[in-house]
Amino acid sequence: KNQVEQSPQSLIILEGKNCTLQCNYTVSPFSNLRWYKQDTGRGPVSLTIMTFSENTKSNGRYTATLDADTKQSSLHITASQLSDSASYICVVKNSGTYKYIFGTGTRLKVLA
Amino acid sequence: SAVISQKPSRDICQRGTSLTIQCQVDSQVTMMFWYRQQPGQSLTLIATANQGSEATYESGFVIDKFPISRPNLTFSTLTVSNMSPEDSSIYLCSVEPGVNEKLFFGSGTQLSVL
């Protein structure tokens, strides 16, 4: 069954600290994996897209990793800021159906 | 890239009424997607809106409940019909301008049904 599971469900960290969010998937066949940031009351905004051959991709303070063998991805946020408070959603595209499978997200709260 | 204007941003509706949500894209796109995001849940695809043909609905979603229009390559509407409190959710439209490009989302419509 095509599934995307994220952990933790929620996370609270202090401003300036680093954190890592996890994503495990069982989607097959795999096309690509994306991380999105969703602020409250807004639509998701793309952070990174990774294909099968990519292990790491950075976007500013966000660094995503992908291990296609173990079907795991992580999103590392460096030197967190208050504006990082949001939900982070892992999305995997199935190359057979062309459908996107969404994780339930990790709700991050950054405190001053 | 694509910029999507979605409206309304939120609405509170009475049971049994209908609400139409609009999405306008700043560029021509072949397919537009409509998603529902229930509280604490992941995004669930409702249907894919194709210009010039009927929308393709996912399992559990039917045209009578969620009629979709796609009159041209930059615009689509989703209607939530005969609403009940269970329809309270965020509804999002989305486009993928190119293969394996980013998915771009509208800002969402927060719907509350009383």
Side-chain angles (χ1 to χ4, degrees), chain B residues 11 14 19 22 29 45 47 54 56 58 63 78 81 98-99 109:
Chain B
D11 208 341
Q14 295 295 321
L19 175 72
Q22 299 180 4
V29 290
L45 181 64
E54 278 200 5
T56 304
E58 297 301 306
I63 187 171
L78 170 77
S81 303
V99 176
T109 296

Side-chain angles (χ1 to χ4, degrees), chain A residues 3-4 8 12-13 19 22 28 40-41 43-44 47 55 62 69 73 75 80 84 86 93 96 98 100 105:
Chain A
Q3 284 187 319
V4 177
I12 301 174
I13 62 174
C19 66
Q22 301 291 342
S28 182
T40 301
L47 294 175
N55 299 119
Y62 301 103
D69 292 330
S73 176
L75 180 69
S80 60
D84 292 332
K93 185 175 184 179
Y98 302 103
Y100 294 93

